[in-house]
Amino acid sequence: AMCALGMLGTLATCLAIDVYGPICDNAGGIAEMAGLPDEVREKTDALDAAGNTTAAIGKGFAIGSAALVALALIAAFVTRCNVLDGGVNLLNPAVFAFLLIGSMLPYWFSAMTMKS
């Protein structure tokens, strides 16, 4: 929980990084519609490429913090409901890892059918 809180502590920076790409893309569109020289559009395209990279980094950061929050919520659920008394131990790292892998399978199969 503390790791997820630490990752979410930089939320303002992550949001600023995530919106950089669309702003640069809009600037390129405005430059094109205004009929500015081609070198202006080349500069805005380079900024847009950097914006796409920063947006991808921001998305990975958001996914990582979401996984940590999910881990903390599952640990809280297991502790509160006394699930460890009998049955499957969800706090076993191997069980939890395969639980995550199993939850990713529908998305993987969906992606594979989209590629075909």
Side-chain angles (χ1 to χ4, degrees), residues 8-9 13 23 27 29 33-34 36 46 82 84 91 93 99 101 110 115:
L8 291 175
T13 304
I23 291 172
M33 288 187 287
L36 295 177
N82 295 326
L84 297 177
L91 295 181
L99 182 69
I101 290 170
S110 299
K115 285 178 68 176

Side-chain angles (χ1 to χ4, degrees), residues 89-102:
N89 184 0
L90 292 178
L91 295 181
N92 182 357
V95 172
F96 187 75
F98 283 106
L99 182 69
L100 286 178
I101 290 170

Side-chain angles (χ1 to χ4, degrees), residues 28-56:
I30 291 170
E32 188 174 343
M33 288 187 287
L36 295 177
D38 288 338
E39 55 268 3
V40 174
R41 184 63 184 165
E42 290 173 9
K43 290 178 184 177
T44 57
D45 285 344
L47 290 173
D48 186 36
N52 292 338
T53 303
T54 57

Side-chain angles (χ1 to χ4, degrees), residues 58-98:
K59 284 176 181 46
F61 199 86
I63 290 169
S65 64
L68 284 173
V69 169
L71 175 63
L73 286 174
I74 286 176
F77 171 76
V78 166
T79 304
R80 178 76 175 138
C81 295
N82 295 326
V83 176
L84 297 177
D85 292 342
V88 177
N89 184 0
L90 292 178
L91 295 181
N92 182 357
V95 172
F96 187 75
F98 283 106

